[in-house]
Amino acid sequence: MAALWVLWPRDELYLLQYDRSKFPAERVTGRAGEVDFGWYAFGLHDRNGWVLIDTGARGRTTTVKALLEQAGGKPSEVHDIVLTHAHWDHAGAVRDFPQARIWMSRAEWERLQAGPWLNGYRKQELDSLRGRDLHLFDEQATLGPLTLTRVGGHTPGMLAVTVRLGARRWLLAGDNAYLPSNFATPLPEKAREGPPADLSRLSAGATLVPGHDPSLLETPVGFKRLYP
């Protein structure tokens, strides 16, 4: 009998926005007032299931778990999670994906364990990560089409994530650039735990994606396929 070959369609990249709200402009631009903020994670659908880049938080308008299900995925299909950093809005729903391996920088894990519980760090996230399958690395790691690079800045172990799919490339800046304006004007000192991150060495030829840009999705919550 001839062998039956099943071709896997190309990997898919999704935006999963679980909330939209106002945020103090002082934390973004150093000025008074408020700005619009999107709260989201990313999902990569591959031949093995799903990779999440951050998990979002519980207690908001919806959850990354619910959006993943709307996009056709299941929590049990999430085999890897990349945490850009360990703040509540990025690592707050790790418990929703109990079978996944966790990728994060060693510097971020050490910062989370050391406390204090300031600037977005909470003991809840530390407790949810204890006993999990943690894949820690120092400077850079590769996971399929993802390159994870520790850049620091917003947090000591902050990651920038480069996604390569077909001829396309994205640089997910995480919280080193809340909004597009932060690529030209770095976040104020109070929004960082270290020197400003240098993203220029990673960004050449890539589509730059800020960490909280509400214009990425037309509706307050929902999902959007970014590729293909």
Side-chain angles (χ1 to χ4, degrees):
M1 180 182 294
L4 177 63
W5 293 92
V6 179
L7 295 178
W8 172 256
R10 67 181 94 181
D11 293 346
E12 299 171 330
L13 181 64
Y14 287 82
L15 172 80
L16 306 166
Q17 182 164 294
Y18 62 93
D19 203 3
R20 184 181 293 177
S21 69
K22 297 294 185 180
F23 193 77
E26 184 182 17
R27 297 289 303 273
V28 182
T29 65
R31 301 174 183 173
E34 294 181 321
V35 295
D36 290 325
F37 238 40
W39 304 84
Y40 49 77
F42 295 90
L44 175 70
H45 186 207
D46 63 17
R47 66 175 61 246
N48 298 313
W50 290 82
V51 179
L52 289 181
I53 303 170
D54 293 329
T55 68
R58 291 170 164 179
R60 308 293 292 194
T61 301
T62 188
T63 63
V64 168
K65 176 183 176 182
L67 294 172
L68 179 71
E69 292 172 338
Q70 291 176 29
K74 300 177 182 178
S76 61
E77 296 173 340
V78 177
H79 54 83
D80 286 282
I81 293 170
V82 174
L83 294 181
T84 59
H85 59 302
H87 284 176
W88 64 270
D89 57 317
H90 295 262
V94 164
R95 287 190 177 94
D96 287 342
F97 311 98
Q99 300 176 15
R101 175 174 53 171
I102 311 294
W103 296 66
M104 63 191 302
S105 74
R106 195 178 310 279
E108 191 68 9
W109 177 235
E110 291 174 351
R111 169 63 181 85
L112 180 61
Q113 292 181 93
W117 311 119
L118 299 170
N119 301 327
Y121 286 112
R122 307 186 307 182
K123 188 175 183 297
Q124 292 97 308
E125 280 64 66
L126 175 60
D127 292 341
S128 70
L129 288 168
R130 289 192 189 278
R132 293 294 296 265
D133 181 6
L134 297 181
H135 187 94
L136 304 177
F137 59 94
D138 292 319
E139 298 300 327
Q140 194 169 77
T142 301
L143 176 61
L146 309 180
T147 301
L148 323 176
T149 305
R150 186 179 75 87
V151 292
H154 180 67
T155 70
M158 182 78 208
L159 300 182
V161 179
T162 304
V163 185
R164 291 179 175 85
L165 295 173
R168 297 285 305 279
R169 191 158 72 95
W170 296 261
L171 178 64
L172 310 183
D175 282 7
N176 275 316
Y178 287 150
L179 301 177
S181 61
N182 295 131
F183 286 115
T185 305
L187 293 174
E189 184 70 33
K190 64 179 60 179
R192 297 185 270 110
E193 288 213 356
D198 178 14
L199 298 174
S200 60
R201 61 190 174 94
L202 304 172
S203 62
T207 299
L208 303 178
V209 182
H212 287 277
D213 182 6
S215 70
L216 293 177
L217 193 70
E218 294 76 16
T219 57
V221 299
F223 70 91
K224 178 180 181 180
R225 191 169 69 179
L226 302 177
Y227 181 89

